[in-house]
Coordinates of all heavy atoms in Angstrom, one line a residue:
L122 N 28.1 43.0 25.1 CA 27.6 43.4 26.4 C 26.3 44.2 26.3 O 25.4 44.1 27.2 CB 28.6 44.4 27.1 CG 29.9 43.7 27.6 CD1 31.0 44.7 27.9 CD2 29.6 42.8 28.8
L123 N 26.1 44.9 25.2 CA 24.9 45.7 25.0 C 23.7 44.8 24.9 O 22.6 45.2 25.3 CB 25.0 46.5 23.7 CG 24.1 47.6 23.5 CD1 24.1 48.6 24.6 CD2 24.4 48.3 22.1
K124 N 23.9 43.6 24.5 CA 22.7 42.6 24.4 C 22.2 42.2 25.8 O 21.1 41.8 25.9 CB 23.1 41.4 23.6 CG 23.4 41.6 22.1 CD 23.9 40.4 21.4 CE 24.2 40.7 19.9 NZ 24.7 39.5 19.2
T125 N 23.1 42.4 26.8 CA 22.7 42.0 28.1 C 22.3 43.2 29.0 O 22.0 43.1 30.1 CB 23.9 41.3 28.9 OG1 24.9 42.2 29.1 CG2 24.4 40.1 28.0
Y126 N 22.4 44.4 28.4 CA 22.2 45.6 29.1 C 20.7 46.1 29.0 O 20.1 46.0 28.0 CB 23.1 46.7 28.6 CG 22.8 48.1 29.2 CD1 23.1 48.4 30.5 CD2 22.2 49.1 28.4 CE1 22.9 49.6 31.0 CE2 21.9 50.3 29.0 CZ 22.3 50.6 30.3 OH 22.0 51.9 30.8
S127 N 20.2 46.6 30.1 CA 18.8 47.2 30.2 C 18.9 48.4 31.1 O 19.3 48.2 32.3 CB 17.8 46.2 30.6 OG 16.6 46.8 30.9
A128 N 18.4 49.5 30.6 CA 18.3 50.7 31.5 C 17.3 50.5 32.6 O 17.3 51.2 33.6 CB 17.9 51.9 30.7
E129 N 16.5 49.4 32.5 CA 15.5 49.1 33.6 C 16.0 48.1 34.6 O 15.3 47.8 35.6 CB 14.2 48.5 32.9 CG 13.6 49.4 31.8 CD 13.3 50.7 32.3 OE1 12.7 50.9 33.4 OE2 13.5 51.7 31.6
A130 N 17.3 47.7 34.5 CA 17.8 46.7 35.4 C 17.9 47.2 36.8 O 18.4 48.3 37.0 CB 19.2 46.2 34.9
R131 N 17.5 46.4 37.8 CA 17.6 46.8 39.2 C 17.8 45.5 40.0 O 16.9 44.8 40.3 CB 16.3 47.5 39.7 CG 15.9 48.8 39.0 CD 16.9 49.9 39.2 NE 16.4 51.2 38.6 CZ 16.6 51.5 37.4 NH1 17.3 50.7 36.5 NH2 16.2 52.7 36.9
P132 N 19.1 45.2 40.3 CA 19.3 43.9 41.1 C 18.6 44.0 42.4 O 18.6 45.1 43.1 CB 20.8 43.8 41.2 CG 21.3 45.3 41.0 CD 20.3 45.9 40.0
K133 N 18.1 42.9 42.9 CA 17.4 42.8 44.2 C 18.3 42.6 45.4 O 17.9 42.8 46.5 CB 16.3 41.8 44.1 CG 15.3 42.1 43.1 CD 14.2 40.9 43.0 CE 13.2 41.2 42.0 NZ 12.1 40.2 41.9
S134 N 19.5 42.1 45.1 CA 20.4 41.8 46.2 C 21.9 41.9 45.8 O 22.2 41.9 44.6 CB 20.1 40.4 46.8 OG 20.5 39.4 45.8
R135 N 22.8 41.9 46.7 CA 24.2 41.8 46.4 C 24.6 40.5 45.6 O 25.3 40.6 44.7 CB 25.0 41.9 47.7 CG 26.5 42.1 47.5 CD 27.2 42.2 48.9 NE 28.6 42.4 48.8 CZ 29.2 43.6 48.9 NH1 28.4 44.7 49.1 NH2 30.5 43.8 48.8
A136 N 24.0 39.4 46.1 CA 24.2 38.2 45.4 C 23.8 38.2 43.9 O 24.5 37.7 43.0 CB 23.5 37.0 46.1
D137 N 22.6 38.8 43.7 CA 22.1 38.9 42.3 C 23.1 39.8 41.5 O 23.4 39.4 40.3 CB 20.7 39.5 42.3 CG 19.6 38.6 42.7 OD1 19.9 37.4 42.8 OD2 18.5 39.0 43.0
M138 N 23.5 40.9 42.1 CA 24.4 41.8 41.4 C 25.7 41.1 41.0 O 26.1 41.2 39.8 CB 24.7 43.0 42.3 CG 25.6 44.0 41.7 SD 25.8 45.4 42.8 CE 26.8 44.6 44.1
Y139 N 26.3 40.4 41.9 CA 27.6 39.8 41.6 C 27.5 38.6 40.6 O 28.3 38.4 39.8 CB 28.3 39.4 42.9 CG 29.0 40.5 43.5 CD1 28.4 41.2 44.6 CD2 30.2 41.0 43.1 CE1 29.1 42.3 45.2 CE2 30.9 42.0 43.7 CZ 30.3 42.7 44.7 OH 31.0 43.8 45.3
A140 N 26.4 37.9 40.8 CA 26.2 36.7 39.9 C 26.1 37.2 38.4 O 26.7 36.6 37.5 CB 25.0 35.9 40.3
F141 N 25.3 38.2 38.2 CA 25.1 38.7 36.9 C 26.3 39.3 36.4 O 26.7 39.1 35.2 CB 23.9 39.7 36.9 CG 23.6 40.3 35.5 CD1 23.3 39.4 34.5 CD2 23.5 41.6 35.3 CE1 23.0 39.9 33.2 CE2 23.2 42.1 34.0 CZ 23.0 41.3 33.0
G142 N 27.0 40.1 37.2 CA 28.3 40.8 36.8 C 29.3 39.8 36.4 O 30.0 39.9 35.4
R143 N 29.5 38.7 37.2 CA 30.5 37.7 36.8 C 30.2 37.0 35.5 O 31.1 36.7 34.7 CB 30.6 36.7 38.0 CG 31.4 37.2 39.2 CD 31.7 36.0 40.1 NE 30.6 35.3 40.6 CZ 29.9 35.7 41.7 NH1 30.3 36.7 42.5 NH2 28.9 35.0 42.1

Side-chain angles (χ1 to χ4, degrees):
L122 289 169
L123 196 57
K124 293 176 181 178
T125 67
Y126 173 72
S127 170
E129 305 302 317
R131 302 291 187 274
K133 297 179 180 179
S134 68
R135 189 183 184 95
D137 287 346
M138 180 180 69
Y139 278 100
F141 183 52
R143 284 194 299 270

